[in-house]
Amino acid sequence: MRLALAFIVMLIAYIISTMVIGGTNVVMTPEETSQASTALIFVSLINALVLSFLILRSRWYGLKLIGAVILVLFGVETFMAQIETLYFNSAVQMGTAEYLGIVAAGALRALIFAPLAVFIFGKMKKPVQPEEVRAAELPPKWGMRFAALAVFYVVVYFMFGYFVAWQWEGTRLYYSGTTAIKPFFTHFWDLFFTEDPFIIPFQLLRGVLWTSLALIIVLMIKAKQWETSLAVALTFAVLLSLPLGLFPNPYMPPLVARSHFFEISSSMLLFGGIAGWVLYTYQGSSKE
């Protein structure tokens, strides 16, 4: 029943937040409206299930837990996606009003869902008798692990970008204006040193932000190492890729959106799983 309520809350949060961008220039056809309605139910259900697991297994309560859920939901689903949209907006060509509306809708959605979901699962206050839980501590040499993961994200981003998304002719045409594909080393040499020398620093910044979000989840939940790894992987892959893959996108052709869906879902499963595993460390039991 609580999972069902969490789904309803997520669905309502999506509906209310969508009203935020109702006054922009985004117009959908009847077919797109029907697709969006079906996608809304599915995305709300899966997102609610993933976030419910984090809340149920959380070692935190109250405002701390609400803040963590807001950061994870808004950070993964909206912020991390839209800073990349902003970077590549010469191809996406999203207007300022639409862009701000999407960001505002994502923030409102997180602000609605997080406190209600935490309340639904009875996590507003600590139990009267504190339960035995692991202390939320950082792993040994976590700074080195953090830096390595940030760099690893950049590698994953470019590898999956080239071998998954860039293999689609429509994606190459959308971003570069040509369907021609360069050999692997030529492609990245031209990209890094001629076409876009700022993309590595930008993606390294995103690597730092992704690793920070992974660290929040690792510290937030009490679970075995494989469960923590799976939780981070699913949170990243589901919250980021499902809306892109299922909702109609007026800013890019369907085949381009599909290529990014496969690219993002697979790359974030890999990065999230490894990040959760690397940042995890076993701690003994203690009372919080």
Side-chain angles (χ1 to χ4, degrees):
M1 183 179 292
R2 290 182 177 185
L3 288 172
L5 286 174
F7 158 62
I8 293 172
V9 168
M10 178 63 79
L11 184 63
I12 293 173
Y14 256 108
I15 294 172
I16 294 175
S17 64
T18 301
M19 296 170 61
V20 173
I21 59 174
T24 67
N25 296 324
V26 177
V27 179
M28 292 190 294
T29 65
E31 292 78 13
E32 289 175 333
T33 301
S34 177
Q35 177 187 345
S37 299
T38 303
L40 176 62
I41 295 175
F42 188 75
V43 171
S44 298
L45 175 62
I46 302 302
N47 283 6
L49 290 175
V50 170
L51 292 169
S52 294
F53 176 81
L54 301 185
I55 295 171
L56 282 168
R57 300 301 294 270
S58 174
R59 69 178 82 248
W60 298 340
Y61 296 86
L63 292 177
K64 187 175 183 179
L65 177 55
I66 292 172
V69 175
I70 290 173
L71 282 175
V72 171
L73 176 54
F74 175 73
V76 175
E77 185 187 55
T78 303
F79 182 78
M80 294 303 297
Q82 296 312 315
I83 60 172
E84 190 163 41
T85 297
L86 189 62
Y87 188 86
F88 292 108
N89 204 37
S90 59
V92 179
Q93 296 184 351
M94 183 182 293
T96 302
E98 287 78 10
Y99 183 84
L100 293 177
I102 289 173
V103 174
L108 179 59
R109 185 159 53 250
L111 289 171
I112 293 172
F113 177 80
L116 291 176
V118 170
F119 174 77
I120 287 170
F121 288 108
K123 288 280 192 170
M124 292 300 293
K125 294 182 180 180
K126 292 182 180 181
V128 176
Q129 296 296 329
E131 58 181 349
E132 292 288 335
V133 295
R134 292 196 320 259
E137 298 176 356
L138 294 171
K141 299 181 179 179
W142 74 272
M144 294 178 60
R145 299 187 187 192
F146 189 100
L149 285 169
V151 174
F152 177 65
Y153 170 79
V154 177
V155 176
V156 170
Y157 175 86
F158 287 119
M159 292 300 99
F160 279 80
Y162 183 83
F163 289 110
V164 181
W166 207 244
Q167 300 304 309
W168 297 55
E169 287 188 357
T171 302
R172 299 196 297 272
L173 181 64
Y174 180 74
Y175 288 104
S176 66
T178 176
T179 59
I181 184 169
K182 300 175 183 177
F184 178 82
F185 291 106
T186 303
H187 172 84
F188 285 111
W189 178 271
D190 291 345
L191 177 65
F192 297 156
F193 297 103
T194 304
E195 299 168 3
D196 193 353
F198 297 105
I199 193 168
I200 290 182
F202 173 69
Q203 295 302 338
L204 185 59
L205 172 62
R206 292 185 78 234
V208 170
L209 294 174
W210 276 120
T211 307
S212 299
L213 288 168
L215 186 59
I216 291 173
I217 297 173
V218 169
L219 294 176
M220 171 185 174
I221 66 174
K222 51 180 187 292
K224 297 178 180 179
Q225 189 168 19
W226 71 266
E227 292 176 309
T228 302
S229 176
L230 183 61
V232 177
L234 289 178
T235 301
F236 284 1
V238 168
L239 296 185
L240 188 63
S241 68
L242 270 191
L244 176 63
L246 298 181
F247 285 120
N249 191 328
Y251 302 105
M252 60 178 61
L255 288 178
V256 177
R258 190 177 303 172
S259 74
H260 284 307
F261 169 77
F262 289 117
E263 171 208 3
I264 292 171
S265 58
S266 56
S267 64
M268 296 314 294
L269 278 173
L270 175 64
F271 174 77
I274 291 178
W277 188 274
V278 169
L279 291 173
Y280 178 95
T281 186
Y282 176 81
Q283 295 106 26
S285 296
S286 66
K287 290 185 178 182
E288 292 186 340

Coordinates of all heavy atoms in Angstrom, one line a residue, residues 189-240:
W189 N 40.7 13.0 -31.5 CA 41.8 14.0 -31.7 C 41.2 15.3 -32.2 O 41.5 16.4 -31.7 CB 42.8 13.5 -32.7 CG 43.9 14.4 -33.0 CD1 43.9 15.4 -33.9 CD2 45.1 14.6 -32.3 NE1 45.1 16.2 -33.9 CE2 45.8 15.7 -32.8 CE3 45.7 13.9 -31.2 CZ2 47.1 16.1 -32.4 CZ3 47.0 14.3 -30.7 CH2 47.6 15.4 -31.3
D190 N 40.3 15.2 -33.2 CA 39.7 16.4 -33.7 C 38.7 17.0 -32.7 O 38.7 18.3 -32.6 CB 38.9 16.0 -35.0 CG 39.7 15.7 -36.2 OD1 41.0 16.0 -36.1 OD2 39.2 15.1 -37.1
L191 N 38.0 16.2 -31.9 CA 37.1 16.7 -31.0 C 37.8 17.5 -29.9 O 37.4 18.6 -29.5 CB 36.3 15.6 -30.4 CG 35.3 15.9 -29.2 CD1 34.2 16.8 -29.8 CD2 34.7 14.7 -28.6
F192 N 38.9 16.9 -29.3 CA 39.5 17.4 -28.2 C 40.4 18.6 -28.5 O 40.5 19.6 -27.7 CB 40.4 16.4 -27.5 CG 39.6 15.2 -26.9 CD1 40.2 14.0 -26.7 CD2 38.3 15.4 -26.6 CE1 39.5 12.9 -26.2 CE2 37.6 14.3 -26.0 CZ 38.2 13.1 -25.8
F193 N 41.0 18.6 -29.7 CA 42.0 19.6 -30.0 C 41.6 20.7 -31.1 O 42.2 21.7 -31.2 CB 43.3 19.0 -30.5 CG 43.9 18.1 -29.4 CD1 43.8 16.7 -29.5 CD2 44.6 18.7 -28.4 CE1 44.4 15.9 -28.5 CE2 45.2 17.9 -27.4 CZ 45.1 16.5 -27.5
T194 N 40.4 20.4 -31.7 CA 40.0 21.3 -32.8 C 38.6 21.8 -32.6 O 38.3 23.0 -32.5 CB 40.1 20.7 -34.2 OG1 41.5 20.2 -34.4 CG2 39.7 21.7 -35.3
E195 N 37.7 20.8 -32.4 CA 36.2 21.1 -32.5 C 35.7 21.6 -31.1 O 34.9 22.6 -31.1 CB 35.4 19.9 -32.9 CG 35.8 19.4 -34.3 CD 35.2 18.0 -34.6 OE1 34.5 17.5 -33.7 OE2 35.5 17.5 -35.7
D196 N 36.1 21.0 -30.0 CA 35.5 21.4 -28.7 C 36.6 21.1 -27.6 O 36.5 20.1 -26.9 CB 34.3 20.5 -28.5 CG 33.5 21.1 -27.3 OD1 33.9 22.0 -26.6 OD2 32.4 20.6 -27.1
P197 N 37.5 22.0 -27.4 CA 38.6 21.8 -26.4 C 38.1 21.9 -25.0 O 38.8 21.5 -24.1 CB 39.6 22.9 -26.7 CG 38.8 23.9 -27.5 CD 37.8 23.2 -28.2
F198 N 36.9 22.4 -24.8 CA 36.4 22.6 -23.4 C 35.5 21.4 -23.0 O 35.1 21.3 -21.8 CB 35.5 23.8 -23.3 CG 36.2 25.1 -23.6 CD1 36.1 25.8 -24.8 CD2 37.1 25.6 -22.7 CE1 36.8 26.9 -25.0 CE2 37.8 26.8 -22.9 CZ 37.7 27.4 -24.1
I199 N 35.3 20.4 -23.8 CA 34.4 19.3 -23.5 C 35.0 18.4 -22.4 O 34.3 17.9 -21.5 CB 34.0 18.5 -24.7 CG1 32.8 17.6 -24.4 CG2 35.2 17.6 -25.3 CD1 32.2 16.9 -25.6
I200 N 36.3 18.2 -22.4 CA 36.9 17.4 -21.3 C 36.8 18.0 -19.9 O 36.3 17.3 -19.0 CB 38.4 17.0 -21.6 CG1 38.5 16.1 -22.8 CG2 39.1 16.4 -20.4 CD1 39.9 15.7 -23.2
P201 N 37.1 19.3 -19.8 CA 36.9 19.9 -18.5 C 35.4 19.9 -18.1 O 35.1 19.7 -16.9 CB 37.4 21.4 -18.6 CG 38.3 21.3 -19.8 CD 37.8 20.2 -20.7
F202 N 34.5 20.1 -19.0 CA 33.1 20.1 -18.7 C 32.6 18.7 -18.2 O 31.9 18.6 -17.2 CB 32.3 20.5 -19.9 CG 30.8 20.4 -19.8 CD1 30.1 21.2 -18.9 CD2 30.1 19.4 -20.5 CE1 28.7 21.0 -18.7 CE2 28.7 19.2 -20.3 CZ 28.0 20.1 -19.4
Q203 N 33.1 17.6 -18.9 CA 32.7 16.3 -18.6 C 33.4 15.9 -17.3 O 32.8 15.1 -16.5 CB 32.9 15.3 -19.7 CG 32.1 15.6 -20.9 CD 30.6 15.5 -20.6 OE1 30.1 15.0 -19.7 NE2 29.8 16.2 -21.5
L204 N 34.5 16.4 -17.0 CA 35.2 16.1 -15.7 C 34.4 16.7 -14.6 O 34.3 16.1 -13.5 CB 36.6 16.6 -15.8 CG 37.5 16.3 -14.5 CD1 37.6 14.7 -14.4 CD2 38.9 16.9 -14.7
L205 N 33.9 17.9 -14.8 CA 33.0 18.5 -13.8 C 31.8 17.7 -13.6 O 31.4 17.4 -12.4 CB 32.6 19.9 -14.3 CG 31.5 20.6 -13.4 CD1 32.0 20.8 -12.0 CD2 31.1 21.9 -14.0
R206 N 31.2 17.2 -14.6 CA 30.0 16.3 -14.5 C 30.4 15.0 -13.8 O 29.6 14.4 -13.0 CB 29.4 16.0 -15.9 CG 28.8 17.2 -16.5 CD 28.1 16.8 -17.8 NE 26.8 16.2 -17.6 CZ 26.4 15.0 -18.1 NH1 27.3 14.3 -18.8 NH2 25.2 14.5 -17.8
G207 N 31.7 14.5 -14.0 CA 32.1 13.3 -13.3 C 32.2 13.6 -11.8 O 31.8 12.7 -11.0
V208 N 32.6 14.7 -11.4 CA 32.7 15.1 -10.0 C 31.3 15.1 -9.4 O 31.0 14.6 -8.3 CB 33.4 16.5 -9.8 CG1 33.2 16.9 -8.4 CG2 34.9 16.3 -10.2
L209 N 30.3 15.7 -10.2 CA 29.0 15.8 -9.7 C 28.3 14.4 -9.6 O 27.6 14.1 -8.7 CB 28.2 16.7 -10.6 CG 28.6 18.2 -10.6 CD1 27.8 19.0 -11.7 CD2 28.4 18.8 -9.2
W210 N 28.5 13.6 -10.6 CA 27.9 12.2 -10.6 C 28.5 11.4 -9.4 O 27.8 10.7 -8.8 CB 28.2 11.5 -11.9 CG 27.3 11.8 -13.0 CD1 27.6 12.3 -14.2 CD2 25.9 11.5 -13.0 NE1 26.4 12.4 -15.0 CE2 25.4 11.9 -14.3 CE3 25.0 11.0 -12.1 CZ2 24.0 11.9 -14.6 CZ3 23.6 10.9 -12.4 CH2 23.2 11.3 -13.7
T211 N 29.8 11.6 -9.2 CA 30.4 10.8 -8.1 C 29.9 11.3 -6.7 O 29.7 10.6 -5.8 CB 31.9 10.9 -8.1 OG1 32.4 10.5 -9.4 CG2 32.6 10.1 -7.1
S212 N 29.6 12.6 -6.7 CA 29.0 13.2 -5.4 C 27.6 12.6 -5.2 O 27.3 12.3 -4.0 CB 29.0 14.7 -5.6 OG 30.2 15.3 -5.7
L213 N 26.8 12.5 -6.2 CA 25.5 11.9 -6.1 C 25.6 10.5 -5.7 O 24.8 10.0 -4.8 CB 24.7 12.1 -7.4 CG 24.3 13.5 -7.8 CD1 23.8 13.5 -9.2 CD2 23.2 13.9 -6.8
A214 N 26.6 9.7 -6.2 CA 26.8 8.3 -5.9 C 27.1 8.3 -4.4 O 26.7 7.4 -3.6 CB 27.8 7.7 -6.7
L215 N 28.0 9.2 -3.9 CA 28.4 9.1 -2.5 C 27.3 9.4 -1.6 O 27.2 8.8 -0.5 CB 29.5 10.2 -2.3 CG 30.2 10.2 -1.0 CD1 30.9 8.9 -0.7 CD2 31.2 11.3 -0.9
I216 N 26.4 10.3 -2.0 CA 25.2 10.6 -1.2 C 24.4 9.3 -1.0 O 23.9 8.9 0.1 CB 24.3 11.7 -1.8 CG1 25.0 13.0 -1.7 CG2 22.9 11.8 -1.1 CD1 24.3 14.1 -2.5
I217 N 24.2 8.6 -2.1 CA 23.4 7.3 -2.0 C 24.1 6.3 -1.1 O 23.4 5.6 -0.3 CB 23.1 6.8 -3.4 CG1 22.3 7.8 -4.2 CG2 22.4 5.4 -3.3 CD1 22.1 7.4 -5.7
V218 N 25.4 6.1 -1.3 CA 26.2 5.2 -0.5 C 26.1 5.5 1.0 O 25.9 4.5 1.8 CB 27.6 5.1 -1.0 CG1 28.5 4.3 -0.1 CG2 27.7 4.6 -2.4
L219 N 26.2 6.7 1.3 CA 26.2 7.1 2.8 C 24.7 7.0 3.3 O 24.5 6.9 4.5 CB 26.7 8.5 3.0 CG 28.2 8.7 2.7 CD1 28.6 10.1 2.8 CD2 29.1 7.8 3.6
M220 N 23.8 7.2 2.4 CA 22.4 7.3 2.8 C 21.8 5.9 3.2 O 21.0 5.8 4.1 CB 21.6 7.9 1.6 CG 20.1 7.9 1.7 SD 19.4 8.5 0.2 CE 17.7 8.2 0.4
I221 N 22.1 4.9 2.4 CA 21.4 3.6 2.7 C 22.3 2.6 3.4 O 23.5 2.7 3.4 CB 21.0 3.0 1.3 CG1 22.2 2.6 0.5 CG2 20.1 3.9 0.5 CD1 21.8 1.8 -0.8
K222 N 21.6 1.7 4.1 CA 22.3 0.6 4.8 C 22.0 -0.6 4.1 O 20.8 -1.1 4.1 CB 21.9 0.6 6.3 CG 20.4 0.6 6.6 CD 20.2 0.5 8.1 CE 18.8 0.3 8.5 NZ 17.9 1.5 8.1
A223 N 23.0 -1.2 3.4 CA 22.7 -2.4 2.6 C 24.1 -3.1 2.3 O 25.1 -2.5 2.6 CB 22.1 -2.0 1.3
K224 N 24.0 -4.3 1.8 CA 25.2 -5.0 1.4 C 25.9 -4.3 0.2 O 25.2 -3.5 -0.4 CB 24.9 -6.4 1.1 CG 24.3 -7.2 2.2 CD 23.9 -8.7 1.8 CE 23.4 -9.5 3.0 NZ 23.0 -10.8 2.6
Q225 N 27.1 -4.7 0.0 CA 27.9 -4.0 -1.1 C 27.2 -4.1 -2.4 O 27.1 -3.2 -3.2 CB 29.3 -4.5 -1.1 CG 30.2 -3.7 -2.0 CD 31.7 -4.0 -1.9 OE1 32.0 -5.1 -1.3 NE2 32.5 -3.2 -2.3
W226 N 26.7 -5.3 -2.8 CA 26.1 -5.5 -4.1 C 24.8 -4.8 -4.2 O 24.4 -4.3 -5.2 CB 25.9 -7.0 -4.4 CG 24.9 -7.7 -3.5 CD1 25.0 -8.4 -2.4 CD2 23.5 -7.8 -3.9 NE1 23.8 -8.9 -1.9 CE2 22.9 -8.6 -2.8 CE3 22.7 -7.3 -4.9 CZ2 21.5 -8.8 -2.8 CZ3 21.3 -7.6 -4.9 CH2 20.7 -8.3 -3.9
E227 N 24.1 -4.7 -3.1 CA 22.8 -4.0 -3.1 C 23.0 -2.5 -3.2 O 22.3 -1.8 -4.0 CB 22.0 -4.2 -1.8 CG 21.5 -5.6 -1.6 CD 20.9 -5.8 -0.2 OE1 21.5 -5.5 0.8 OE2 19.7 -6.3 -0.2
T228 N 24.1 -2.0 -2.6 CA 24.4 -0.6 -2.7 C 24.8 -0.2 -4.2 O 24.4 0.8 -4.7 CB 25.6 -0.2 -1.8 OG1 25.2 -0.5 -0.4 CG2 26.0 1.3 -1.9
S229 N 25.7 -1.1 -4.7 CA 26.1 -0.9 -6.1 C 24.9 -0.9 -7.1 O 24.8 -0.1 -8.0 CB 27.1 -2.1 -6.5 OG 27.5 -2.0 -7.8
L230 N 24.0 -1.9 -6.9 CA 22.8 -2.0 -7.7 C 21.9 -0.8 -7.5 O 21.3 -0.3 -8.5 CB 22.0 -3.3 -7.4 CG 20.8 -3.5 -8.3 CD1 21.2 -3.7 -9.7 CD2 20.1 -4.8 -7.8
A231 N 21.8 -0.3 -6.3 CA 20.9 0.9 -6.0 C 21.4 2.1 -6.8 O 20.7 2.9 -7.4 CB 20.9 1.1 -4.5
V232 N 22.7 2.3 -6.7 CA 23.3 3.5 -7.4 C 23.1 3.4 -8.9 O 22.7 4.3 -9.6 CB 24.8 3.7 -7.1 CG1 25.4 4.9 -7.8 CG2 25.0 3.9 -5.6
A233 N 23.4 2.2 -9.4 CA 23.3 1.9 -10.9 C 21.9 2.2 -11.4 O 21.6 2.8 -12.4 CB 23.7 0.5 -11.2
L234 N 20.9 1.6 -10.7 CA 19.5 1.7 -11.1 C 19.0 3.2 -10.9 O 18.2 3.7 -11.8 CB 18.6 0.8 -10.3 CG 18.7 -0.7 -10.6 CD1 17.8 -1.5 -9.7 CD2 18.4 -1.0 -12.1
T235 N 19.4 3.8 -9.8 CA 19.0 5.2 -9.6 C 19.5 6.1 -10.8 O 18.7 6.9 -11.3 CB 19.5 5.7 -8.3 OG1 19.0 4.9 -7.2 CG2 19.1 7.2 -8.1
F236 N 20.7 6.0 -11.1 CA 21.3 6.8 -12.2 C 20.7 6.4 -13.6 O 20.3 7.3 -14.3 CB 22.8 6.6 -12.3 CG 23.6 7.3 -11.2 CD1 23.0 8.0 -10.2 CD2 25.0 7.2 -11.2 CE1 23.7 8.7 -9.2 CE2 25.7 7.9 -10.2 CZ 25.0 8.6 -9.2
A237 N 20.6 5.2 -13.9 CA 20.1 4.7 -15.2 C 18.6 5.0 -15.4 O 18.2 5.6 -16.4 CB 20.4 3.3 -15.4
V238 N 17.8 4.7 -14.4 CA 16.4 4.9 -14.5 C 16.0 6.3 -14.5 O 15.3 6.8 -15.4 CB 15.7 4.1 -13.3 CG1 14.2 4.5 -13.3 CG2 15.8 2.6 -13.6
L239 N 16.4 7.1 -13.5 CA 16.0 8.5 -13.4 C 16.4 9.3 -14.6 O 15.7 10.3 -15.0 CB 16.4 9.1 -12.1 CG 15.9 8.5 -10.8 CD1 16.4 9.3 -9.6 CD2 14.4 8.4 -10.8
L240 N 17.6 9.0 -15.1 CA 18.1 9.8 -16.2 C 17.6 9.4 -17.6 O 17.3 10.2 -18.4 CB 19.7 9.8 -16.2 CG 20.4 10.7 -17.2 CD1 20.1 12.2 -16.8 CD2 21.9 10.5 -17.1

